[in-house]
Amino acid sequence: MSDNNVHQKIKETIETEPVVLFMKGTPQQVMCGNSERALQALRSVGAPITTVDVLPDPEIRQELSALSNWPTIPQVFVKGELIGGADIVQELAASGELEQKLESALGGEYRTSGEERVVEVGEPRNPFGSVFTR
Amino acid sequence: MSERLESLLRGAFPDAREVAVVDRTGGGDHFQVTVVSPRFQGLSLVDQHRLVYDALAEPLEDGTIHELRITTRGER
């Protein structure tokens, strides 16, 4: 049941968000150099970035890799399509292809003023858990 | 460890013009691999990297490779 839920939320996020970065940590607290490289590459072209932290729940990573057929984190999706991991995204950003890809997928006006949002796909955690649990 | 990765890559890409493995930190678990092979021609970068991941599936799964950076080029 929970497997299904995580799978469903990942799928939904990939399908509905224009640019999704599955990463270790959040843009405010990046926990891995490769996630940082992917984030910086996306920022360099002004992409509207939705991030998903894979660390809170190992299931997220398992379900994601099964879905994308890609074994490592980070993973970047544009309009539901896997664009690549840190190396590819960095390479595409440097060659100008990332910008072109975003323009053709999202339209010429895709650039945001650095809009970044974080969504959760794991099981919701009770924010008061630590307060009310003995 | 670099030798193991290189031999896995040579096995998977017998016609590769270049196979290079660099141990980035000297710790035997952070690697940069470069493969230049005609096999990549006409493939997206995502599919090119998938072939490299496939070749290195074992050391990736058993945790030998902690971090992998990949560069591929489709050249004869």
Side-chain angles (χ1 to χ4, degrees):
Chain A
M1 157 94 173
S2 71
D3 285 20
N4 217 349
N5 225 339
V6 172
H7 175 92
Q8 212 43 46
K9 281 187 195 160
I10 291 172
K11 223 170 148 238
E12 219 175 273
T13 306
I14 291 171
E15 282 165 5
T16 57
E17 301 294 329
V19 179
V20 188
L21 167 63
F22 289 88
M23 64 184 289
K24 294 183 180 174
T26 62
Q28 289 70 41
Q29 194 170 13
V30 183
M31 304 299 283
C32 160
N34 289 323
S35 293
E36 178 69 27
R37 288 198 293 141
L39 180 65
Q40 292 305 341
L42 289 171
R43 280 178 176 163
S44 75
V45 297
I49 311 168
T50 300
T51 67
V52 178
D53 183 1
V54 305
L55 292 177
D57 183 351
E59 247 176 63
I60 301 171
R61 197 176 160 168
Q62 282 162 24
E63 290 293 331
L64 174 64
S65 287
L67 201 79
S68 62
N69 186 25
W70 192 264
T72 56
I73 302 294
Q75 298 185 25
V76 176
F77 292 81
V78 174
K79 279 265 177 184
E81 187 202 346
L82 177 67
I83 297 303
D87 296 315
I88 293 180
V89 174
Q90 213 171 28
E91 203 175 316
L92 294 178
S95 69
E97 285 168 79
L98 184 59
E99 224 166 346
Q100 287 168 18
K101 212 177 255 288
L102 290 172
E103 267 173 22
S104 68
L106 312 176
E109 303 302 309
Y110 78 82
R111 278 178 197 74
T112 62
S113 46
E115 185 196 327
E116 289 171 11
R117 46 187 297 251
V118 176
V119 299
E120 287 184 21
V121 300
E123 291 300 290
R125 286 161 295 168
N126 180 359
F128 303 113
S130 56
V131 177
F132 291 112
T133 308
R134 284 173 204 254
Chain B
M1 189 45 58
S2 298
E3 294 76 20
R4 179 180 168 206
L5 302 195
E6 189 171 334
S7 86
L8 285 170
L9 290 169
R10 293 238 177 246
F13 303 97
D15 51 3
R17 220 188 60 188
E18 184 191 333
V19 171
V21 178
V22 176
D23 181 345
R24 290 185 46 242
T25 59
D29 56 1
H30 289 62
F31 296 97
Q32 160 74 53
V33 305
T34 305
V35 182
V36 181
S37 163
R39 176 121 176 253
F40 294 134
Q41 283 179 337
L43 295 182
S44 69
L45 282 171
V46 166
D47 285 333
Q48 294 181 23
H49 285 216
R50 276 187 180 130
L51 290 176
V52 174
Y53 282 131
D54 286 348
L56 301 178
E58 210 183 277
L60 275 167
E61 270 158 32
D62 67 21
T64 311
I65 298 178
H66 185 75
E67 193 220 60
L68 184 63
R69 295 191 183 189
I70 301 172
T71 305
T72 52
R73 281 200 308 279
E75 286 173 20
R76 286 188 193 289

